[in-house]
Amino acid sequence: MATDSLPASGRHARSRAPLIIAASVSTLGGLLFGYDNVVISGAIGFLSQLFHLDPAGIGWAAGCALVGCIVG
């Protein structure tokens, strides 16, 4: 009932703030996770040469790196 006395612009500004924050955080998280994927893709060739990894080892190394990115 108290929100009925507020102007229309006040109601919309308060109700959109959590949405804007959530959208900003999720956008930043997606951007950083995508950047981590690019870095891992660039490094995986050097890792396979350095440690003499077979295809299963390359997949394991890339998967562990991605899990580390998620946790980080």
Side-chain angles (χ1 to χ4, degrees), residues 1-22:
M1 293 291 181
T3 58
D4 292 338
S5 63
L6 291 175
S9 61
R11 283 188 298 225
H12 291 297
R14 262 199 273 179
S15 65
R16 289 185 184 172
L19 175 65
I20 291 171
I21 291 169

Side-chain angles (χ1 to χ4, degrees), residues 6 32 34 50 71:
L6 291 175
L32 291 175
L50 182 65
V71 171

Side-chain angles (χ1 to χ4, degrees), residues 27-41 66 69:
T27 300
L28 183 61
L31 178 73
L32 291 175
F33 189 72
Y35 178 74
D36 290 338
N37 278 332
V38 170
V39 170
I40 291 167
S41 296
L66 287 175
C69 292

Side-chain angles (χ1 to χ4, degrees), residues 23-66:
S24 299
V25 168
S26 63
T27 300
L28 183 61
L31 178 73
L32 291 175
F33 189 72
Y35 178 74
D36 290 338
N37 278 332
V38 170
V39 170
I40 291 167
S41 296
I44 206 72
F46 297 109
L47 284 174
S48 65
Q49 288 177 355
L50 182 65
F51 294 109
H52 307 289
L53 298 175
D54 60 344
I58 292 170
W60 181 259
C64 289
L66 287 175

